[in-house]
Amino acid sequence: MRFDIITVLPELLESPFNHSILKRAKDRNLLEVYCHPLRDFATGKHRHVDDYQFGGGAGMVMKVEPLAACIEHLCSERQYDQIVYVTPDGAQLNQQMCNRLSMGENVMIICGHYKGIDERIRNQFVTMEISIGDYVLSGGELAAAVIVDAVGRLIPGVLNDETSALFDSFQDDLLAPPVYTRPAEWRGMKVPDVLLSGNDRLIEEWRHEQSLERTRLRRPDLYLKYVKGQGE
Ligand code: ADE
């Protein structure tokens, strides 16, 4: 899978993809991530990528021409499954969206800055608008990094244990159960006996109950969705 990220701050994205699981994915040629500095597509002496907004008001807007030039250049080289714009007014990212994105081959991500990008770019090119939560970041780069991480780890072969992503929180609308490792007793606090029992069926049952209870308490919205889904 390949990500092409359009950004005015490629330096911000140098580190996140070069460690741990994503680095391994890149080393195994399962994942490619390319950052495209938007300024390279700007023209004129000052290579401006932003300008004042029509109608007045504080804050700059990212210009159409450099963005269009970069997007069209990338689209001339390959077909994209999605052209994503990361923006606080997009649809909130969830596991289902990540699963769907991970089935694609090429995904482009446009990072906004300042007041955002000219609306005509959204209308003309963007196929998916994603927010990573109800707060405003100073730019889209960290949101893009979140998407590449959450999607990249779902590509088959990226995780060591192929099945482990299936048991992540949210994969079945439930939060994951608590986990423990050695020592079995620490400062008087013991690991639940069932996890030491060696009885796979009982362990599975316990984990499921814990997932249900944790979801009911912490995310009643998800719990309701789960319960409704079970009834269908
Ligand atoms: N850009 C600025 N804030 C953002 C957010 N919450 N999600 C995605 N992109 C953003």
Side-chain angles (χ1 to χ4, degrees), residues 6 41 64-78 80 83 108 121 124-125:
I6 303 177
F41 293 84
V64 276
E65 297 96 331
L67 277 168
C70 185
I71 296 167
E72 282 171 347
H73 164 71
L74 291 171
C75 287
S76 74
E77 295 190 325
R78 69 196 61 75
Y80 286 89
I83 299 181
M108 189 190 303
I121 292 291
Q124 188 71 28
F125 298 106

Side-chain angles (χ1 to χ4, degrees), residues 2-10 34-43 47-49 62-80 83-84 107-111 117 121 125-126:
R2 172 182 173 126
F3 284 95
D4 287 285
I5 304 175
I6 303 177
T7 167
V8 289
L9 278 177
Y34 297 96
C35 293
H36 305 276
L38 185 61
R39 230 167 279 282
D40 290 356
F41 293 84
T43 52
R47 292 186 167 262
H48 282 304
V49 292
M62 287 170 72
K63 288 165 69 64
V64 276
E65 297 96 331
L67 277 168
C70 185
I71 296 167
E72 282 171 347
H73 164 71
L74 291 171
C75 287
S76 74
E77 295 190 325
R78 69 196 61 75
Q79 203 165 355
Y80 286 89
I83 299 181
V84 175
V107 172
M108 189 190 303
I109 304 180
I110 303 166
C111 302
I117 64 175
I121 292 291
F125 298 106
V126 169

Side-chain angles (χ1 to χ4, degrees), residues 15-82:
S15 167
F17 313 125
N18 291 322
H19 302 279
S20 182
I21 287 171
L22 291 190
K23 177 171 190 306
R24 207 176 60 210
K26 284 166 75 180
D27 291 346
R28 290 182 184 168
N29 297 320
L30 298 169
L31 175 70
E32 293 172 276
V33 186
Y34 297 96
C35 293
H36 305 276
L38 185 61
R39 230 167 279 282
D40 290 356
F41 293 84
T43 52
K45 200 168 117 205
H46 299 291
R47 292 186 167 262
H48 282 304
V49 292
D50 59 335
D51 206 340
Y52 297 100
Q53 53 176 315
F54 278 123
M60 307 291 271
V61 175
M62 287 170 72
K63 288 165 69 64
V64 276
E65 297 96 331
L67 277 168
C70 185
I71 296 167
E72 282 171 347
H73 164 71
L74 291 171
C75 287
S76 74
E77 295 190 325
R78 69 196 61 75
Q79 203 165 355
Y80 286 89
D81 299 286
Q82 295 289 351

Side-chain angles (χ1 to χ4, degrees), residues 86-88 112 130-140 143:
V86 278
T87 172
I130 298 180
S131 162
I132 61 160
D134 287 345
Y135 41 82
V136 178
L137 302 166
S138 47

